[in-house]
Amino acid sequence: MTKTFPKNFLWGAATSAPQTEGHSLLNGKSASTWDYWFEIAPEKFNENQGPKDTSNVYEMYRQDCQRMQDIGLNSLRTSISWTRLLPDGKNLNQEAVKFYRDYFTCMLDHGVKPIINLFHFDMPMWLMQKGGWESRKAVDAFAFYAKTAFEQFGDLVKMWTTFNEPMVHVECGYLYQFHYPAIVDFKKAVQVGYHTLMAHVCAVKAFRQTITDGQIGIILNISPAYARSDSPQDLAAKQAADLLNTQSFLDPAVKGEIPQELIDLVKLHELTPQVLPEDKALIKAYTVDFIGLNYYQPRRVKAPSQPLTPAKMPENLYEPYDWPEKKINPYRGWEIYPQAIYDVAIMMKEQYNNIPWYVSENGMGVADEERFLNADGMIEDDYRIEFMQDHLEYLYKGIQAGSNCFGYHSWTFVDCWSWLNGYRNRYGFYRVDLDNNFERSIKKSGLWFKEVAHNNGF
Ligand code: BGP
């Protein structure tokens, strides 16, 4: 039986400015924390691959828009680089304005709806030197940047998002050392998360004051927690994991409230952040129009073996549980569990007022894909097709059950740079040849997706 998706379903892909544009210190752009970190510690990055020359979309966007159309994408999410648009945080870089206007216009000319995100882990270095998200100043700086972007591109872009995976810069930067400043401090992590939430809220406020014919949302990473057992200890671990990682942003973004249980939890562990008296009303007033959820893997949890109050790390509240039956993507080390997409769809329906949402990232990173080149020079990535199809099956089931999902974006369109992992794992519908001027070539999954998009299902 054919599975037909809702009318006007978005079939597309997601990517980001820092991972694809290249020209990271050219054309007026100032340094982000990634440029700086690579300069001082290149050995941390896979094969010394830094952010400087990522995939060269800055020069190749016209041909790329054609490639989007060639495989039937009707939408693409990428981001604006804050440090390109406002290199010093105040003054517009006119070359950046021209670049983004041309890029977004070109997408539209090729039938591709741009969904534009404002922050994808790329903190300006000038702002990091003033404390980054630890400082309340970053909230105002971000709101100014957001307003500037809405004014410059609001005529072209009708769907906006404020942040990509805000929990990731919190945990990677302040708990697990995968992002600069790579410190380990639970209390600071909570403060950084809170300021990020307020930056999001203030950007939504700026949006409501600037744009009347568009929609705004936020992109969250979703790893629904599954407890090892139904014991009260394991279930408490699951609850703490969901409160900290999912409800922390999803509840205020959709319902205009930080859950009381989360407020109580951070208080119990002496992690309460500094807040301003007006914040609560702002959070209430500026909720979103839609949600994007990036889904890669579930979170299996069990009761902590070293519970601690106050907790020093999240592991004192919940611990990863190694589920013996798990299926794994060995390259990325992430569990493959498509069933969770159905659970997420039902969660959005039942716990989040059935707000419009879409799968804003889903995909499979694989290393050394040249192994799968066929005689015609095409990568036959059947594993990726299977991965996406399995996830789409469960998404379809969720939609059939009434969940208000309006699209599916794969990560990603052309192979891109991935932070400390450089170009190790590839995700694209198009291969990027690093030895040959970033030349692109279609993979089998790109042709498969074209069929799915064309048929609005499979
Ligand atoms: C998401 C990020 C992307 C992208 C993707 C794949 O969390 O939004 O930026 O990188 O994951 O993960 P990775 O590149 O770490 O393999």
Side-chain angles (χ1 to χ4, degrees):
M1 197 188 80
T2 325
K3 296 184 169 62
T4 306
F5 282 71
K7 212 168 154 244
N8 301 322
F9 200 70
L10 294 187
W11 295 104
T15 189
S16 78
Q19 292 175 273
T20 58
E21 282 176 8
H23 284 230
S24 82
L25 291 170
L26 295 174
N27 310 84
K29 184 182 166 300
S30 71
S32 75
T33 45
W34 292 100
D35 300 306
Y36 175 76
W37 209 19
F38 183 68
E39 190 190 311
I40 59 166
E43 71 288 349
K44 284 191 186 298
F45 292 71
N46 175 60
E47 293 183 18
N48 282 5
Q49 290 163 335
K52 197 162 147 268
D53 296 318
T54 58
S55 297
N56 201 16
V57 161
Y58 197 86
E59 290 177 27
M60 298 171 84
Y61 65 90
R62 285 198 186 85
Q63 300 95 307
D64 277 351
C65 288
Q66 182 59 53
R67 289 184 186 99
M68 292 171 206
Q69 191 173 41
D70 290 346
I71 59 165
L73 304 192
N74 60 16
S75 47
L76 182 107
R77 172 180 51 113
T78 186
S79 66
I80 292 172
S81 158
W82 187 351
T83 47
R84 189 181 298 288
L85 189 66
L86 293 171
D88 62 359
K90 294 192 189 92
N91 295 295
L92 263 182
N93 171 9
Q94 288 301 343
E95 192 173 335
V97 174
K98 183 169 175 350
F99 164 65
Y100 288 116
R101 287 197 67 83
D102 286 353
Y103 186 9
F104 303 155
T105 305
C106 193
M107 279 187 214
L108 291 165
D109 289 346
H110 287 83
V112 177
K113 175 181 192 145
I115 301 179
I116 299 304
N117 178 48
L118 293 170
F119 188 91
H120 200 118
F121 313 156
D122 49 345
M123 167 59 76
M125 199 54 213
W126 63 263
L127 185 53
M128 183 51 93
Q129 280 157 349
K130 297 179 180 168
W133 295 117
E134 282 180 58
S135 157
R136 182 83 194 196
K137 285 195 184 95
V139 175
D140 300 332
F142 184 77
F144 176 76
Y145 156 54
K147 185 168 177 287
T148 307
F150 302 145
E151 286 166 356
Q152 296 299 321
F153 311 115
D155 57 329
L156 301 171
V157 177
K158 302 298 172 192
M159 270 185 101
W160 290 88
T161 58
T162 54
F163 282 85
N164 175 75
E165 302 190 344
M167 274 308 295
V168 168
H169 67 254
V170 172
E171 59 180 13
C172 289
Y174 297 84
L175 291 169
Y176 302 118
Q177 299 180 285
F178 296 117
H179 290 190
Y180 190 81
I183 56 180
V184 184
D185 188 324
F186 204 175
K187 186 150 173 79
K188 279 187 183 171
V190 173
Q191 185 70 65
V192 162
Y194 183 75
H195 281 154
T196 304
L197 173 65
M198 290 317 299
H200 156 78
V201 166
C202 292
V204 174
K205 181 179 176 190
F207 183 84
R208 301 283 180 231
Q209 292 169 342
T210 321
I211 307 254
T212 50
D213 61 343
Q215 292 183 307
I216 190 149
I218 185 168
I219 308 276
L220 303 175
N221 49 313
I222 181 90
S223 285
Y226 295 95
R228 168 182 57 180
S229 77
D230 284 343
S231 75
Q233 295 80 358
D234 283 347
L235 290 178
K238 168 186 155 50
Q239 194 198 14
D242 279 336
L243 277 172
L244 283 169
N245 297 291
T246 301
Q247 293 180 254
S248 49
F249 280 90
L250 195 49
D251 280 43
V254 177
K255 301 178 187 169
E257 274 170 16
I258 299 173
Q260 189 57 45
E261 296 94 321
L262 179 58
I263 296 173
D264 295 344
L265 185 74
V266 296
K267 190 164 175 210
L268 175 69
H269 292 281
E270 298 172 15
L271 300 165
T272 302
Q274 287 181 354
V275 308
L276 294 183
E278 63 267 30
D279 289 354
K280 203 173 167 189
L282 284 168
I283 294 170
K284 189 84 212 163
Y286 296 107
T287 52
V288 295
D289 302 313
F290 70 93
I291 287 287
L293 295 176
N294 296 350
Y295 174 68
Y296 290 91
Q297 56 168 343
R299 183 188 303 277
R300 308 261 171 212
V301 295
K302 60 182 180 187
S305 48
Q306 294 178 313
L308 202 61
T309 307
K312 291 240 171 307
M313 288 292 279
E315 285 71 16
N316 299 132
L317 303 169
Y318 57 87
E319 224 174 75
Y321 165 56
D322 193 7
W323 186 40
E325 288 162 50
K326 70 177 185 289
K327 187 178 160 197
I328 265 276
N329 165 7
Y331 310 100
R332 193 62 182 82
W334 287 348
E335 182 181 340
I336 300 178
Y337 187 67
Q339 290 89 326
I341 282 226
Y342 175 77
D343 296 340
V344 165
I346 299 304
M347 173 190 81
M348 293 307 283
K349 179 182 169 209
E350 292 178 353
Q351 291 166 46
Y352 292 95
N353 314 329
N354 213 11
I355 187 170
W357 70 282
Y358 80 117
V359 176
S360 40
E361 284 182 29
N362 178 235
M364 187 179 180
V366 172
D368 305 320
E369 285 197 303
E370 282 71 23
R371 284 172 296 160
F372 305 108
L373 278 171
N374 69 15
D376 299 327
M378 184 173 77
I379 287 173
E380 297 204 4
D381 51 348
D382 292 290
Y383 41 87
R384 181 166 292 116
I385 295 173
E386 185 186 325
F387 180 98
M388 288 195 280
Q389 181 149 338
D390 288 350
H391 285 76
L392 280 166
E393 300 258 359
Y394 280 97
L395 181 61
Y396 180 77
K397 218 175 136 200
I399 294 172
Q400 289 301 98
S403 189
N404 199 1
C405 175
F406 62 81
Y408 174 89
H409 276 191
S410 105
W411 184 270
T412 186
F413 169 52
V414 296
D415 286 343
C416 67
W417 177 80
S418 170
W419 323 110
L420 294 186
N421 282 330
Y423 273 92
R424 182 166 53 219
N425 298 315
R426 306 300 185 94
Y427 288 84
F429 286 136
Y430 284 86
R431 171 185 179 220
V432 164
D433 188 347
L434 294 181
D435 299 325
N436 198 6
N437 285 326
F438 302 99
E439 197 180 276
R440 279 84 153 122
S441 55
I442 187 93
K443 298 181 197 174
K444 192 173 172 185
S445 60
L447 297 175
W448 171 80
F449 199 74
K450 178 181 182 172
E451 278 300 302
V452 175
H454 177 74
N455 296 326
N456 197 30
F458 52 90

